[in-house]
Amino acid sequence: MTFALNIGLSALQANQQALQTVANNLANAGTPGYHRRLVNLVDRSPTPSGKHLIGAGVDVKSITRVRSSLIEQSLTANITSRSRNEAQLETLQRLEALYIPGEGGVQQRLQTFFDRAFAVTSGPGNNILRQQAISAAHDLTEEINAIAAAMHKLQQSVDAEIESTVHTVNQLSDRIAALNREIGIAEGRGFQPHDLRDQRDQLLNELAELVDVRTWEWAGQPDVAAFGDGGVTLSTQPVTISLKLIDGQVKVISDQSGRELSFSGGRLSGLLEARNEILPAALERLQTFTDTFVRAVDQIQATGLPTTGPFDWLESTRGVEDVNLPLSTAGTRFPVEAGQLFISVTDQATGVRRLTAVDIDPATDSLTDVATAIDAIDHLQAFIDPQTGKLSIESESGYAFDFVGRLETVPDTSAVTGTSSISLGGQYTASVNDEFEFTVVGSGDVGTASGLQVEVRNSIGALVKTLDVGLGYQPGAALDVIEGVTVSFGAGTLNAGDTFTTPVVANSDTAGFLSAVGLRSFFDGTQIGSLSVDDALRADPELLSASYSGLPADGANAARFAALRDELLLGDGHLTLEDFLAETAALVGSDVQNLTIAQTHLDSLNAQLETDRESISGVDPNEEFVKMLNYQRGFQSAAKLIASVNDTLDELFAIVP
């Protein structure tokens, strides 16, 4: 009979534990990260009785967590990918908002500047039109600065979130390590710490939102996790990470190993990519646009004339780091190319203008060398301030200079032996620089000598034009040469073999020297965030270089400002300034669209994995109620068995005297 009592007692105990497990499942049906428990019952080893083996009852072999490692690891990996994608998407969406086309946007303000510059060509002497063009440029610089400020503010926001995320990672790592220690102690004592493992899994998924996490599950000991592409192992000892700025980039360092960590997922990974790659690339692209625009406009401003005409003094606004180093290494704001700078010097009393080319090789020439070459030009002086790295140019009293590259009024005739006076006129209209050589064929008096001619050849020796200046020519009359250039020969003689040359200039600064050092700049500064239109220019619209001649009706140089709209200045010569801004907006928009699609897919996958996990590990109240009824009936049956055995024993004891 005692066997029967033991069997009934084992059933009572087993069903009681099972009912407690069901109750725990129902109580935690809504607890995040909870995995339902399953009671595993086994029959006890039978007991020999005579020639028979009698069953000994039931035991609870174990209570297990119902969990799929594959689904859990897939869910953790998806959480990591979603968080990384989300962090990048948030940054790109904020960048996208900065380039949305429309009223007040950078694209619209650039278009307005070109429109206003074109309007100046219809009334170059109208100061209202000039002021509108200058104001449009100012509005554009304000928008560029605003975009740059917004990008820097976004960068600061990302920096702050990176710091906060690292702090949270360290906190979670410490809590997971503490749980691992508790799990190890509990399992070492033979317990099954399911609640602790649930907490650990939940913390690991919280950690996976921040960094990439991989786990290794081991039987009989706490699981091991790693993050930072495996660079940090997380077991029972606390681990920490910290931030370090290296070459302008935020890096994450393991405090234990001192190694720089990389991340393939998690919000921290997305934030680091936003901070170190996305935002710097966006700032660099905006700076590229700004540099190109500023340099192009500054070159036009420097190589034209205001209504006040040529200059008697100019000082550069952009210094170099070392005035004695070659320009290629001296730290110019814009690179200087090998080329020529043409400087005109005008005698203001006679109107005679001479044109001199200064050769510039940035590989060998320093700012001091260029200043020396300018100083060698008649009636000019050049000065270098070694402290500021800036260049100043001053003309002698009665003379003025400019960088327009206009035709000389009188060429150098020192090699001409005749008595005829020679004058040049017109405006060179070709697109490339050249040099014309004039050679006299025949000898005699201009206008009367039969067969007297002048041959004109270009810089490669090709015959451009043959001019008849003998019988039938009216001395002093202008003769068309080519590309807008004219020449006239006064009364007097010309002798065979007499030659003179003159440069014809389409681009008076092929080296880009003027904008590099900031001579006659349209803009103050070049860096996004601090760009502005020159204060003097904003105060006096007459300083706008709208012409080649300085005359009120001349708008030829203003047309060059407007023509920038169609020049392929960016994208390796494939994009205009407007195209570049449109491409920038399109690239950011495309990235946003791609990440949005990816985020939708990851969200859908996450929902599916959550459903899969719930179907395996989640608590179904209906199923638990059925189990509860079964265990309740088992308990009741065991109780009845014990009662029945007890009644039988009572009767037996009553029979026994």
Side-chain angles (χ1 to χ4, degrees), residues 142-382:
E142 290 289 293
E143 182 61 21
I144 291 172
N145 290 339
I147 292 174
M151 288 183 181
H152 285 298
K153 186 175 180 179
L154 177 55
Q155 190 175 67
Q156 291 170 357
S157 175
V158 171
D159 284 343
E161 188 172 356
I162 288 173
E163 290 183 11
S164 175
T165 301
V166 166
H167 179 68
T168 304
V169 167
N170 288 335
Q171 286 183 322
L172 289 171
S173 300
D174 186 63
R175 292 170 63 190
I176 291 169
L179 278 172
N180 278 340
R181 292 193 294 273
E182 292 183 48
I183 291 169
I185 293 170
E187 290 183 340
R189 293 175 179 175
F191 299 118
Q192 294 177 317
H194 297 318
D195 293 335
L196 296 179
R197 283 187 170 273
D198 277 350
Q199 292 176 37
R200 179 183 182 275
D201 284 354
Q202 186 69 8
L203 289 178
L204 279 173
N205 281 340
E206 291 181 25
L207 184 63
E209 291 184 2
L210 306 180
V211 291
D212 53 295
V213 173
R214 289 180 290 168
T215 59
W216 291 266
E217 299 183 1
W218 306 92
Q221 61 181 356
D223 298 341
V224 176
F227 63 86
D229 279 343
V232 176
T233 301
L234 185 56
S235 182
T236 59
Q237 297 302 313
V239 295
T240 56
I241 58 176
S242 57
L243 297 172
K244 190 174 183 180
L245 195 64
I246 302 175
D247 297 330
Q249 292 197 327
V250 175
K251 301 294 184 180
V252 179
I253 307 297
S254 167
D255 292 338
Q256 281 64 49
S257 67
R259 290 173 50 198
E260 180 183 321
L261 302 175
S262 59
F263 297 87
S264 57
R267 187 166 185 82
L268 183 58
S269 172
L271 291 171
L272 288 171
E273 185 167 350
R275 169 60 175 78
N276 295 333
E277 297 178 30
I278 295 175
L279 286 172
L283 285 165
E284 182 180 1
R285 193 170 178 88
L286 181 62
Q287 186 67 63
T288 297
F289 165 80
T290 303
D291 284 348
T292 304
F293 175 71
V294 166
R295 185 166 202 185
V297 172
D298 275 2
Q299 282 289 121
I300 294 172
Q301 172 74 358
T303 54
L305 285 176
T307 55
T308 52
F311 318 104
D312 55 18
W313 178 86
L314 285 176
E315 181 182 9
S316 66
T317 59
R318 297 171 189 146
V320 300
E321 295 174 3
D322 191 322
V323 299
N324 296 312
L325 284 178
L327 290 169
S328 60
T329 58
T332 57
R333 179 60 189 87
F334 299 119
V336 178
E337 307 293 335
Q340 292 180 311
L341 171 65
F342 288 89
I343 303 178
S344 298
V345 178
T346 303
D347 185 332
Q348 293 179 306
T350 64
V352 172
R353 182 173 60 249
R354 297 299 307 276
L355 185 61
T356 304
V358 176
D359 293 322
I360 299 175
D361 183 352
T364 57
D365 293 331
S366 65
L367 186 63
T368 301
D369 294 330
V370 175
T372 300
I374 294 173
D375 196 73
I377 299 173
D378 289 343
H379 314 299
L380 289 185
Q381 288 181 298

Side-chain angles (χ1 to χ4, degrees), residues 386-403:
Q387 300 301 317
T388 63
K390 294 180 179 180
L391 167 71
S392 299
I393 303 174
E394 184 178 12
S395 61
E396 292 179 7
S397 179
Y399 291 86
F401 64 95
D402 63 72
F403 310 105

Side-chain angles (χ1 to χ4, degrees), residues 12 14 28 52 74 122 127 168 223 296 323 359 371 379 439 446-447 502 611:
L12 281 176
N28 288 283
H52 302 284
S74 298
S122 64
N127 276 344
T168 304
D223 298 341
V323 299
D359 293 322
H379 314 299
T439 303
V446 172
T502 188
T611 300

